Amino acid sequence: MRTVKIIFWTLYRVWFYILMAIPIIVMFPFLFISILSEKWYPYFFIMARIWAKCILFGMGFPTKVTFDQEIEEGKSYMFVANHTSMTDIMLMLSIAKNPFVFVGKKELSKIPLFGFFYKRTCILVDRSSSKSRMEVFQRAQKRISQGLSICIFPEGGVPDESILLDEFKDGAFRLALEHELPIVPMTFYDNKRLFSYTFFSGSPGLMRAKVHRFFETKNQNPEYKKTLKEEVRNVILVELQNDLK
Protein backbone atom coordinates (compact mmCIF):
# COMPACT_ATOMS: atom_id res chain seq x y z
CA MET A 1 0.00 0.00 0.00
CA ARG A 2 2.85 2.37 0.83
CA THR A 3 4.35 1.77 -2.63
CA VAL A 4 1.05 2.63 -4.30
CA LYS A 5 0.86 5.87 -2.30
CA ILE A 6 4.41 6.84 -3.25
CA ILE A 7 3.65 6.27 -6.94
CA PHE A 8 0.46 8.34 -6.65
CA TRP A 9 2.20 11.17 -4.79
CA THR A 10 5.03 11.25 -7.34
CA LEU A 11 2.64 11.39 -10.30
CA TYR A 12 0.50 13.96 -8.49
CA ARG A 13 3.51 16.25 -7.99
CA VAL A 14 4.58 15.86 -11.61
CA TRP A 15 1.03 16.61 -12.72
CA PHE A 16 1.08 19.82 -10.66
CA TYR A 17 4.12 21.14 -12.53
CA ILE A 18 2.61 20.10 -15.86
CA LEU A 19 -0.51 22.05 -14.96
CA MET A 20 1.64 25.05 -14.07
CA ALA A 21 3.24 24.95 -17.51
CA ILE A 22 0.30 24.25 -19.83
CA PRO A 23 -1.63 27.56 -19.39
CA ILE A 24 1.63 29.51 -19.55
CA ILE A 25 2.55 27.87 -22.86
CA VAL A 26 -0.94 28.44 -24.28
CA MET A 27 -1.06 32.09 -23.21
CA PHE A 28 2.65 32.82 -23.65
CA PRO A 29 2.38 35.49 -26.42
CA PHE A 30 -0.26 37.42 -24.48
CA LEU A 31 1.56 37.03 -21.16
CA PHE A 32 4.81 38.23 -22.75
CA ILE A 33 3.16 41.31 -24.26
CA SER A 34 1.47 42.14 -20.95
CA ILE A 35 4.80 42.35 -19.07
CA LEU A 36 6.40 44.77 -21.53
CA SER A 37 4.88 47.73 -19.69
CA GLU A 38 3.94 48.13 -16.02
CA LYS A 39 0.71 49.87 -16.99
CA TRP A 40 -0.42 46.64 -18.69
CA TYR A 41 -0.09 44.66 -15.46
CA PRO A 42 -3.88 44.42 -14.90
CA TYR A 43 -4.11 42.39 -18.13
CA PHE A 44 -1.36 40.09 -16.92
CA PHE A 45 -3.23 39.72 -13.65
CA ILE A 46 -6.40 38.55 -15.44
CA MET A 47 -4.37 35.82 -17.17
CA ALA A 48 -2.67 34.92 -13.89
CA ARG A 49 -6.09 34.31 -12.34
CA ILE A 50 -7.04 32.05 -15.26
CA TRP A 51 -3.75 30.17 -14.77
CA ALA A 52 -4.43 29.76 -11.05
CA LYS A 53 -7.97 28.49 -11.52
CA CYS A 54 -6.83 26.00 -14.17
CA ILE A 55 -4.32 24.54 -11.71
CA LEU A 56 -6.81 24.32 -8.84
CA PHE A 57 -9.37 22.65 -11.09
CA GLY A 58 -6.85 20.27 -12.63
CA MET A 59 -5.51 19.22 -9.22
CA GLY A 60 -9.01 18.45 -7.95
CA PHE A 61 -9.15 21.40 -5.56
CA PRO A 62 -12.66 22.88 -5.62
CA THR A 63 -12.70 26.04 -3.51
CA LYS A 64 -15.11 27.34 -0.92
CA VAL A 65 -14.55 30.91 0.25
CA THR A 66 -16.52 32.67 2.98
CA PHE A 67 -16.45 36.45 3.40
CA ASP A 68 -16.88 38.41 6.61
CA GLN A 69 -16.43 41.52 4.47
CA GLU A 70 -16.50 41.94 0.70
CA ILE A 71 -13.49 43.20 -1.26
CA GLU A 72 -14.42 46.38 -3.12
CA GLU A 73 -13.57 46.55 -6.80
CA GLY A 74 -10.99 49.18 -7.73
CA LYS A 75 -9.67 49.64 -4.20
CA SER A 76 -6.12 48.92 -3.03
CA TYR A 77 -5.52 46.52 -0.15
CA MET A 78 -2.84 44.64 1.70
CA PHE A 79 -3.71 40.93 1.40
CA VAL A 80 -2.18 38.62 4.02
CA ALA A 81 -2.66 34.91 4.76
CA ASN A 82 -1.01 31.96 6.45
CA HIS A 83 1.57 30.25 4.22
CA THR A 84 1.91 26.47 3.98
CA SER A 85 1.90 25.47 0.30
CA MET A 86 2.67 26.54 -3.26
CA THR A 87 -1.08 26.41 -3.82
CA ASP A 88 -1.39 29.46 -1.54
CA ILE A 89 -0.42 31.52 -4.60
CA MET A 90 -3.19 30.00 -6.72
CA LEU A 91 -5.81 30.26 -4.00
CA MET A 92 -4.98 33.92 -3.35
CA LEU A 93 -5.25 34.69 -7.07
CA SER A 94 -8.61 32.92 -7.29
CA ILE A 95 -10.03 34.89 -4.34
CA ALA A 96 -8.86 38.47 -4.95
CA LYS A 97 -10.14 40.10 -8.13
CA ASN A 98 -8.36 43.40 -7.52
CA PRO A 99 -4.98 43.38 -9.27
CA PHE A 100 -2.24 42.83 -6.72
CA VAL A 101 1.49 42.17 -6.73
CA PHE A 102 3.04 39.34 -4.75
CA VAL A 103 6.03 39.89 -2.50
CA GLY A 104 7.74 36.51 -2.52
CA LYS A 105 10.98 34.62 -2.15
CA LYS A 106 13.42 34.82 -5.04
CA GLU A 107 13.96 31.03 -5.11
CA LEU A 108 10.68 30.54 -7.00
CA SER A 109 12.14 32.43 -9.95
CA LYS A 110 14.20 29.30 -10.72
CA ILE A 111 11.11 27.28 -11.71
CA PRO A 112 11.08 26.91 -15.53
CA LEU A 113 8.50 29.03 -17.38
CA PHE A 114 6.76 30.11 -14.18
CA GLY A 115 9.95 31.74 -12.94
CA PHE A 116 10.33 33.79 -16.14
CA PHE A 117 7.11 35.69 -15.42
CA TYR A 118 7.39 35.49 -11.65
CA LYS A 119 10.60 37.51 -11.47
CA ARG A 120 9.26 40.09 -13.92
CA THR A 121 5.92 40.71 -12.22
CA CYS A 122 6.44 39.99 -8.52
CA ILE A 123 8.59 41.74 -5.95
CA LEU A 124 11.35 39.31 -5.04
CA VAL A 125 13.01 39.29 -1.66
CA ASP A 126 16.29 37.78 -0.53
CA ARG A 127 15.56 37.30 3.16
CA SER A 128 19.27 37.03 3.97
CA SER A 129 19.97 40.53 2.65
CA SER A 130 18.96 43.72 4.46
CA LYS A 131 19.60 45.66 1.23
CA SER A 132 17.14 43.40 -0.60
CA ARG A 133 14.49 44.00 2.07
CA MET A 134 14.85 47.78 1.64
CA GLU A 135 14.56 47.46 -2.16
CA VAL A 136 11.41 45.39 -1.69
CA PHE A 137 9.89 48.19 0.37
CA GLN A 138 10.72 50.77 -2.31
CA ARG A 139 9.29 48.64 -5.13
CA ALA A 140 6.14 47.94 -3.16
CA GLN A 141 5.67 51.67 -2.58
CA LYS A 142 5.90 52.25 -6.33
CA ARG A 143 3.28 49.61 -7.12
CA ILE A 144 0.93 50.94 -4.47
CA SER A 145 1.27 54.43 -5.97
CA GLN A 146 0.13 52.89 -9.27
CA GLY A 147 -3.14 51.84 -7.64
CA LEU A 148 -2.30 48.16 -7.18
CA SER A 149 -2.74 46.04 -4.08
CA ILE A 150 0.02 44.05 -2.42
CA CYS A 151 0.01 40.45 -1.20
CA ILE A 152 2.48 39.35 1.46
CA PHE A 153 2.59 36.10 3.41
CA PRO A 154 3.76 37.73 6.66
CA GLU A 155 5.32 34.64 8.22
CA GLY A 156 8.26 35.43 5.94
CA GLY A 157 8.34 31.95 4.41
CA VAL A 158 6.83 28.53 4.92
CA PRO A 159 7.29 27.42 8.55
CA ASP A 160 8.08 23.92 9.71
CA GLU A 161 5.03 21.70 9.31
CA SER A 162 4.78 21.28 13.08
CA ILE A 163 4.07 25.02 13.43
CA LEU A 164 0.45 26.02 13.01
CA LEU A 165 1.22 29.70 12.41
CA ASP A 166 4.63 31.32 12.68
CA GLU A 167 5.37 34.81 14.00
CA PHE A 168 4.65 37.63 11.55
CA LYS A 169 7.27 39.97 10.09
CA ASP A 170 6.79 43.74 10.08
CA GLY A 171 6.90 44.51 6.33
CA ALA A 172 3.23 44.12 5.39
CA PHE A 173 2.05 46.20 8.34
CA ARG A 174 4.62 48.92 7.85
CA LEU A 175 3.57 49.34 4.22
CA ALA A 176 -0.12 49.21 5.05
CA LEU A 177 0.20 51.92 7.70
CA GLU A 178 2.36 54.19 5.55
CA HIS A 179 -0.05 54.00 2.61
CA GLU A 180 -3.24 53.64 4.68
CA LEU A 181 -4.12 50.36 3.00
CA PRO A 182 -6.83 48.25 4.63
CA ILE A 183 -5.38 44.90 5.68
CA VAL A 184 -7.35 41.88 4.48
CA PRO A 185 -6.54 38.81 6.59
CA MET A 186 -7.31 35.43 5.06
CA THR A 187 -7.20 31.96 6.56
CA PHE A 188 -6.27 29.05 4.30
CA TYR A 189 -7.46 25.94 6.14
CA ASP A 190 -6.58 23.01 3.90
CA ASN A 191 -3.55 23.84 1.74
CA LYS A 192 -1.04 22.19 4.07
CA ARG A 193 -3.10 19.00 4.28
CA LEU A 194 -3.86 18.82 0.56
CA PHE A 195 -0.52 19.91 -0.92
CA SER A 196 2.26 20.69 1.53
CA TYR A 197 5.94 21.15 0.68
CA THR A 198 6.55 17.52 1.74
CA PHE A 199 7.02 15.72 -1.58
CA PHE A 200 5.33 12.43 -0.70
CA SER A 201 2.01 13.87 0.39
CA GLY A 202 -1.14 15.45 -0.98
CA SER A 203 -4.50 14.53 -2.45
CA PRO A 204 -7.49 16.15 -4.15
CA GLY A 205 -10.04 17.73 -1.85
CA LEU A 206 -12.02 20.82 -0.91
CA MET A 207 -9.83 23.88 -0.42
CA ARG A 208 -11.48 26.27 2.02
CA ALA A 209 -10.61 29.88 2.77
CA LYS A 210 -12.05 32.68 4.84
CA VAL A 211 -11.73 36.41 4.22
CA HIS A 212 -11.94 38.10 7.61
CA ARG A 213 -13.04 41.61 8.48
CA PHE A 214 -10.53 44.19 7.35
CA PHE A 215 -8.22 46.16 9.61
CA GLU A 216 -8.32 49.86 8.78
CA THR A 217 -5.07 51.79 8.95
CA LYS A 218 -6.18 55.36 8.28
CA ASN A 219 -5.01 57.98 10.76
CA GLN A 220 -2.92 55.45 12.67
CA ASN A 221 0.60 56.29 13.79
CA PRO A 222 3.62 54.03 13.09
CA GLU A 223 3.66 52.85 16.71
CA TYR A 224 0.41 50.97 16.01
CA LYS A 225 2.38 48.53 13.83
CA LYS A 226 3.16 46.02 16.60
CA THR A 227 -0.41 45.93 17.90
CA LEU A 228 -1.78 45.66 14.37
CA LYS A 229 0.55 42.79 13.53
CA GLU A 230 -0.44 40.88 16.66
CA GLU A 231 -4.16 41.45 16.14
CA VAL A 232 -4.09 40.29 12.52
CA ARG A 233 -2.06 37.20 13.41
CA ASN A 234 -4.42 36.37 16.26
CA VAL A 235 -7.45 36.43 13.93
CA ILE A 236 -5.86 33.84 11.64
CA LEU A 237 -4.43 31.77 14.50
CA VAL A 238 -7.76 31.49 16.34
CA GLU A 239 -9.47 30.47 13.11
CA LEU A 240 -6.91 27.72 12.49
CA GLN A 241 -7.15 26.52 16.07
CA ASN A 242 -10.94 26.39 15.96
CA ASP A 243 -10.80 24.41 12.73
CA LEU A 244 -8.73 21.72 14.47
CA LYS A 245 -11.36 21.19 17.19
Side-chain angles (χ1 to χ4, degrees), residues 30-31 34 39-50 99:
F30 306 102
L31 288 167
S34 70
K39 67 180 180 181
W40 294 340
Y41 181 81
Y43 301 107
F44 173 87
F45 184 78
I46 292 171
M47 289 181 280
R49 296 192 75 226
I50 293 170

Side-chain angles (χ1 to χ4, degrees), residues 18 36 62 74 85 110 120 129 139 155 166 171 183 187-188 234:
I18 291 172
L36 294 178
S85 167
K110 298 176 183 177
R120 287 166 174 79
S129 168
R139 290 190 62 195
E155 291 167 279
D166 211 344
I183 295 177
T187 299
F188 295 168
N234 190 59

Side-chain angles (χ1 to χ4, degrees), residues 2 5-6 8-10 12-13 59 61 161 191-204:
R2 176 69 179 174
K5 286 185 176 180
I6 289 174
F8 169 78
W9 285 327
T10 302
Y12 199 52
R13 292 279 161 169
M59 292 295 290
F61 295 145
E161 292 203 10
N191 298 33
K192 181 191 290 187
R193 175 176 57 84
L194 296 176
F195 202 79
S196 75
Y197 274 86
T198 299
F199 187 86
F200 293 116
S201 66
S203 67

Side-chain angles (χ1 to χ4, degrees), residues 11 51 67 74 77 80-81 84-85 94 121 134 140 143 146 160 164 169 190 204 211 214 225 230:
L11 293 175
W51 168 83
F67 291 83
Y77 295 95
V80 300
T84 58
S85 167
S94 75
T121 56
M134 181 56 66
R143 301 303 259 166
Q146 293 169 344
D160 185 272
L164 185 61
K169 309 295 185 186
D190 307 299
V211 178
F214 309 162
K225 179 180 63 179
E230 291 173 352

Side-chain angles (χ1 to χ4, degrees), residues 116-240:
F116 176 82
F117 291 102
Y118 177 80
K119 66 185 177 183
R120 287 166 174 79
T121 56
C122 299
I123 300 172
L124 307 190
V125 57
D126 178 357
R127 303 194 190 279
S128 65
S129 168
S130 57
K131 181 182 178 182
S132 173
R133 291 195 296 270
M134 181 56 66
E135 289 173 349
V136 164
F137 191 78
Q138 292 169 349
R139 290 190 62 195
Q141 286 181 312
K142 180 181 178 183
R143 301 303 259 166
I144 292 167
S145 69
Q146 293 169 344
L148 299 175
S149 296
I150 300 292
C151 174
I152 297 178
F153 295 107
E155 291 167 279
V158 178
D160 185 272
E161 292 203 10
S162 63
I163 298 173
L164 185 61
L165 185 67
D166 211 344
E167 296 300 321
F168 281 4
K169 309 295 185 186
D170 291 343
F173 308 97
R174 179 184 169 193
L175 276 168
L177 284 167
E178 182 159 321
H179 294 276
E180 298 188 330
L181 297 179
I183 295 177
V184 183
M186 301 186 196
T187 299
F188 295 168
Y189 302 94
D190 307 299
N191 298 33
K192 181 191 290 187
R193 175 176 57 84
L194 296 176
F195 202 79
S196 75
Y197 274 86
T198 299
F199 187 86
F200 293 116
S201 66
S203 67
L206 180 64
M207 191 168 275
R208 299 168 298 145
K210 183 173 184 178
V211 178
H212 300 279
R213 288 208 164 272
F214 309 162
F215 285 77
E216 293 296 336
T217 58
K218 282 189 176 181
N219 303 318
Q220 294 288 353
N221 57 48
E223 288 72 30
Y224 181 55
K225 179 180 63 179
K226 183 178 179 180
T227 301
L228 178 64
K229 178 176 67 171
E230 291 173 352
E231 289 179 349
V232 171
R233 181 179 181 274
N234 190 59
V235 166
I236 298 173
L237 179 60
V238 170
E239 193 69 28
L240 290 171

